[in-house]
Structures are given as structure tokens and as C-alpha cells.
Amino acid sequence: MATKKMLKFIDRPQAQPTKRAVDERAEDFLEISRPYILAKAEEQAGRCSQCGVPFCQVHCPLQNNIPDWLKLTAEGRLEEAYELSASTSTMPEICGRICPQDRLCEGNCVIEKDFGAVTIGAVEKFITDTAWEQGWVKPIVPVADRSGQSVGIIGAGPAGLTAAELMRVKGYEVHVYDRHDRAGGLLTYGIPGFKLEKPVVMRRVQRLADAGVVFHQNFEVGRDASLAELRARHDAVLIATGVYKAREVDVQGADGPNVLPALDYLIASNRAGFGDAVPEAARFDAHGKHVVVIGGGDTAMDCVRTAVRQGALSVKCLYRRDRANMPGSAREVMNAEEEGVEFVWLAAPARIEGGAVVASRMRLGQAGPDGRRAPEAEPGADFSTPADMVIKALGFDAEDLPGAFGAPELSVTRWGTIRVDHKTMMTSLPGVFAVGDIVRGASLVVWAVRDGRDVVPAMHQWMRAQLATAKQEAA
Ligand code: FAD
Ligand code: SF4
Ligand code: SF4
């Protein structure tokens, strides 16, 4: 039964957290939204109509128990709301910040069309941020000692960290190997601070380290150990390496010194935010430059908004389709436009030359095999735009992992992603599992968390079977 605190969506307008003024937020890399105060979170949670079939929950990849934690929040029972939220997610405050809610939970909220969705992401963030402040986020306590069995996890992104937490809870020794110097994967070095402040990620990592998860940073599998060596070291191995082969802009001049891969640019900016010395800092700094970003996804959005904060003279985003057909989140496009980014729709680079991008005007032709109308160049409609810095942000494919890991028997799809048994998430190699972007292709943080959560029962079962076999052999 819904309480008197709920179903207030008719009288109470939707109120997302207020955003900081554009001038102010362009000066720093802090998150752009101000946090809710308690009364606001309670008020907004109380707009939920407590649907019998909650479509918000159905469309949340984690199937978070949204109506129940909204109700607990509206009733002022925040600690219980936190417990419930944490029971399905290892990082609710992170998903609350960076999930594209307009395509997931909020986009499917039944009151969205007529009244504006319940602000699920903002309430989710509020609940767990408050839990951290109040000390409700408790240390991880492993439930049992699993007799020294250990798991090796390759990749410290959201998929690997989630599996690390849940395997540690089960009492296994957990070792996480990552080629970066800090854990977090794209949460740390891809996504900029104005979407996700870094202390929010680091406190999650620290909680795992405090629970005995061993992090091996600057450790690249394929360079510092082969997959076979890790398999010999651990009872099971999980591959959670993400996808990092950047798609290329195939035009004349795309290999010039002022043409940067998006991730190199974002890593340099994130490193500067940590206070690290950045090699070739001037090359990666947009200050005083005309910047052109090529691409229309979330990576491109992060690049244009980073360039604004670095003090670029102008920032343009060139995308070959139109606004309605761009893959990036509509919310992020709006944020970028507010911050002064100019979107040039239906435009693709033809060549990059001495301080300019020459681009072709495009139009949308027939639908291709993927159902999307293919862009084609309009003859004789090229134009030139000044560009002291060009950033290539066309997305990512999988690297050649069987080659890099020295494991040709590791089966991959024709896209290079790892082939798994979808029930067990085991790869073609016994005891080697895989999750996250390296299985799905470039995806979302919330799906990586979901995979990291889902693989744990299968790994646990595998470990138990290994132990039983070892005992039988010893008997
Ligand atoms: P990753 O986060 O990529 O982590 C993989 C880890 O494996 C990395 O730390 C890497 O160093 C390590 N690794 C790789 N190879 C090796 C090796 N050989 N040895 C050791 N370690 C290795 N998603 C959202 O939901 N919201 C967003 O706003 C959003 N913004 C994004 C912005 C950018 C710029 C990018 C690139 C992606 C964004 N995404 C966003 C997507 C999201 O970040 C990914 O889907 C998610 O991080 C995938 O998680 P993962 O754990 O599979 O891999
Ligand atoms: Fe919505 Fe993402 Fe939170 Fe699920 S995890 S409730 S999709 S913000
Ligand atoms: Fe509440 Fe919207 Fe979910 Fe219905 S769909 S339970 S109104 S948040």
C-alpha cells in the first residue's frame, strides 16, 4: 500500500537538481549539478506513483528496487533506502550520476509523458552520498574463508571492481591487475570530473583495498604476465579489460600532430585533475585554441565540454548525421550547448590541413542494414572551419586480446569481443570468465556493473567444483 507520502506527481512539479551557472562551471571540473537537500529528495521521491508493474525497474539494467527505495526516502527512512539500493548495486551513487536515465529508468517512468519522470537518478545519488557522509557504508566483511582459493581479475573498471567486491564478500582472495596506475577504468581516466568527481570513484576503490582486495597497478597482462601465467596463479580468472582500439578518421591529415585521439586527450585532462605531471601538456591543452571534435557519442560530448573548461577559443562538434540520429545522450548535448559548444550536424571531415578541417555537407540517404539512414556527401558543398586542435572521437572496438594475451585459443567474435557462454559467462578457456565492454562492445557503466554482479554465482560454482575435485584427488 502506498503511503500518504507518495503519489504527489500531480501537485508537485518535477525538479531535477539545479545546475551551476554556465560561467561558473566552465571554470572548473567539478560536477555541474548541486546536490539535493534532504527535503528536496524526500519531496521528489514522493512523486512516485508506486506502480504495480514498475517500468522504471524493468528498464534499469540492475533491476534496482526503485519504487521501494523512493518510498523509504519519502518517508525519511534514508538508511533503509540505502541498504535496499546497495543490495542490487555496487555503486549506486556512480550510476545515479552517469547513467543515461533518459534512456533507462526515467525514460520509462509512467508519469514521464504528462508530468515529467520521477528524478530517480538524482535520488539514487542522494541516498548513497548521504550514506557515505553518515557512515552507513560499512566495510566489506567476507562471509567465509574459502581456504585460500583466489581469483585474478584483469581490469579495474566497473565490471572488474564489482566482481572483485562480490567475490571478496564470498571469502575468496581477490587480485585485480590493471595497466593503469589507478583503478577505476573509464570511471577514473575516461569520464571527466564534471560528470563524476574522482573522489567518488576513489572511495569505492579504497573500500575494496581495505577489505583485502589486492590491486596490482601498472600491470599489463600480455606484457607483465601472460594469461596462462595468471591461470596458473589463480583458481579462476576474469577478463574485464574494456574496449580501447579507437576507430580512425580515415582522411588526409588525420595523422597530423594537432590531431588527438579522444581518450589520450581525456586521460591527459583527468591526470591534470589528479595533479599528475602530464607529458606533452601543451599539446593536450585546448587553451586559446579553436577546437573541432569529430563524432557524436558520449566520448565526443566529454571532449567538447573538457575543451570549454580548458579555455578553448571556440569548440565545434562535427557529426555526420543529424541531432535526432546522434548516439550521445540528449541531456549531454543540452549541457554542451549551454556551455557554448557549436554542433555542426550533417558534416563529416574530408581532410585536415594547416589549421583547418575541411568538411563535407552530408544528407541522410537510404536506411542501411542497421536500420539507420546512411549519411552521404552532398557534392560540391564542402566548407572549412578553423581548427588548431582536432579530436577524433568515433568510438572504440576491442583490441586483439588473444594476440596480446598469448592465448590464441581464446575465442572471440568477428568484432574482436570475447565470446562467452551467456549462462556462465565462461570463455572458451575453462575457468576463464569475461564481462563488461570486452564482451558487449562499448556500452554503459551500469551494464558493466550488472555483468560484474551476474558472473559471481558462476565463478563461485566453478571454484566450489575445483575444490571438490582437489579434495577427491587428495583422498
Ligand atoms: P573499463 O572501464 O574500460 O575498464 C577496463 C580496465 O581494464 C581499464 O582500467 C584498463 O586499464 C584495464 N585493462 C585493459 N587491458 C588490460 C591489460 N591487458 N592488462 C591489464 N589491464 C588492462 N557510460 C555510462 O554509463 N555513462 C557515461 O556517462 C559514460 N561516459 C563515457 C565517457 C567516455 C569518454 C567513455 C570512453 C565511455 C563512457 N561510458 C559511459 C562507457 C563506460 O565507461 C564503459 O561502458 C564502462 O566503463 C565499461 O566498463 P568495463 O569495466 O568493462 O571496462
Ligand atoms: Fe536508473 Fe541507472 Fe540507477 Fe538503474 S542504475 S535506477 S538505470 S540511474
Ligand atoms: Fe514510480 Fe515512475 Fe517507477 Fe512508476 S515508473 S514506480 S511512477 S518511478
Side-chain angles (χ1 to χ4, degrees):
M1 272 287 280
T3 67
K4 284 188 196 139
K5 300 264 184 200
M6 307 306 289
L7 299 150
K8 305 291 184 201
F9 58 92
I10 296 176
D11 313 328
R12 258 177 226 167
Q14 184 203 54
Q16 290 285 1
T18 49
K19 290 193 244 177
R20 296 192 290 136
V22 168
D23 289 355
E24 184 193 331
R25 68 197 208 215
E27 293 293 313
D28 61 43
F29 281 82
L30 300 175
E31 286 170 14
I32 67 165
S33 294
R34 297 190 192 284
Y36 274 153
I37 55 166
L38 176 62
K40 203 70 183 167
E42 290 177 356
E43 172 204 288
Q44 289 296 307
R47 294 181 69 245
C48 169
S49 80
Q50 299 286 282
C51 303
V53 180
F55 286 110
C56 55
Q57 181 169 2
V58 172
H59 289 272
C60 165
L62 295 169
Q63 262 90 65
N64 282 341
N65 194 341
I66 300 164
D68 284 1
W69 48 250
L70 286 172
K71 180 165 172 273
L72 289 166
T73 304
E75 292 173 352
R77 296 159 64 189
L78 217 49
E79 189 169 357
E80 290 166 79
Y82 160 67
E83 300 285 351
L84 191 59
S85 172
S87 68
T88 50
S89 176
T90 52
M91 39 187 83
E93 75 285 20
I94 293 179
C95 292
R97 283 170 163 85
I98 57 168
C99 268
Q101 286 99 6
D102 47 347
R103 303 205 302 258
L104 300 171
C105 53
E106 294 181 19
N108 289 282
C109 172
V110 292
I111 63 171
E112 156 69 358
K113 198 160 156 279
D114 296 322
F115 300 95
V118 179
T119 54
I120 300 168
V123 175
E124 184 182 33
K125 164 183 180 293
F126 175 81
I127 293 169
T128 300
D129 279 350
T130 307
W132 279 101
E133 280 159 31
Q134 298 296 322
W136 302 334
V137 182
K138 297 285 182 315
I140 295 165
V141 183
V143 291
D145 175 10
R146 296 287 177 194
S147 355
Q149 277 187 299
S150 75
V151 53
I153 297 179
I154 313 171
L161 292 182
T162 296
E165 174 168 341
L166 300 178
M167 286 302 278
R168 187 68 195 126
V169 166
K170 288 203 175 298
Y172 295 109
E173 231 182 73
V174 178
H175 290 256
V176 181
Y177 302 88
D178 198 290
R179 62 186 174 193
H180 272 308
D181 55 347
R182 289 184 180 91
L186 290 170
L187 301 176
T188 297
Y189 281 130
I191 300 170
F194 50 82
K195 278 165 61 182
L196 175 62
E197 286 174 15
K198 300 307 153 185
V200 175
V201 182
M202 291 303 137
R203 68 186 174 191
R204 282 278 164 204
V205 173
Q206 190 57 49
R207 182 166 172 267
L208 296 185
D210 292 345
V213 172
V214 184
F215 285 94
H216 304 260
Q217 298 299 150
N218 295 311
F219 190 112
E220 179 165 341
V221 178
R223 183 193 65 192
D224 300 311
S226 66
L227 182 61
E229 283 168 312
L230 285 199
R231 289 179 79 194
R233 225 180 263 181
H234 300 290
D235 300 276
V237 171
L238 177 66
I239 304 175
T241 48
V243 288
Y244 285 93
K245 194 171 87 186
R247 290 189 197 134
E248 271 307 321
V249 175
D250 196 12
V251 299
Q252 188 192 322
D255 53 356
N258 64 340
V259 185
L260 308 175
L263 205 54
D264 291 2
Y265 175 65
L266 292 173
I267 290 174
S269 171
N270 277 313
R271 279 202 178 288
F274 277 110
D276 296 351
V278 177
E280 297 186 272
R283 190 168 162 243
F284 289 100
D285 188 353
H287 184 79
K289 296 178 184 169
H290 293 289
V291 177
V292 172
V293 176
I294 301 168
D298 285 332
T299 304
M301 296 309 103
D302 289 351
C303 291
V304 289
R305 298 179 66 205
T306 296
V308 167
R309 283 157 177 78
Q310 289 180 343
L313 278 182
S314 71
V315 185
K316 284 196 178 78
C317 180
L318 252 56
Y319 181 55
R320 64 199 181 127
R321 291 188 165 93
D322 57 6
R323 183 191 284 264
N325 285 290
M326 76 177 297
S329 144
R331 204 179 275 184
E332 291 305 305
V333 176
M334 193 171 74
N335 287 332
E337 283 183 326
E338 284 171 8
E339 290 164 10
V341 174
E342 185 188 334
F343 285 85
V344 188
W345 309 110
L346 293 165
R351 58 185 186 280
I352 300 166
E353 59 186 19
V357 173
V358 177
S360 305
R361 287 257 170 246
M362 310 297 282
R363 62 185 172 212
L364 294 179
Q366 299 293 324
D370 59 357
R372 298 175 78 198
R373 291 174 66 193
E376 53 193 36
E378 280 190 38
D382 288 2
F383 63 97
S384 174
T385 189
D388 308 310
M389 179 192 265
V390 180
I391 301 172
K392 303 178 282 186
L394 295 186
F396 303 92
D397 293 314
E399 295 164 290
D400 170 21
L401 277 202
F405 283 5
E409 62 287 13
L410 180 67
S411 177
V412 294
T413 66
R414 66 192 161 109
W415 298 280
T417 50
I418 297 183
R419 206 187 289 277
V420 293
D421 171 327
H422 283 283
K423 278 204 189 100
T424 61
M425 293 167 157
M426 204 185 302
T427 67
S428 54
L429 301 175
V432 178
F433 299 78
V435 287
D437 278 7
I438 191 58
V439 174
R440 293 178 177 274
S443 179
L444 293 173
V445 169
V446 66
W447 282 111
V449 173
R450 159 79 183 263
D451 286 355
R453 190 185 77 182
D454 285 359
V455 75
V456 166
M459 289 181 85
H460 178 53
Q461 203 175 12
W462 165 265
M463 303 290 256
R464 303 305 290 156
Q466 292 302 103
L467 199 60
T469 311
K471 276 186 185 153
Q472 267 171 8
E473 283 170 1

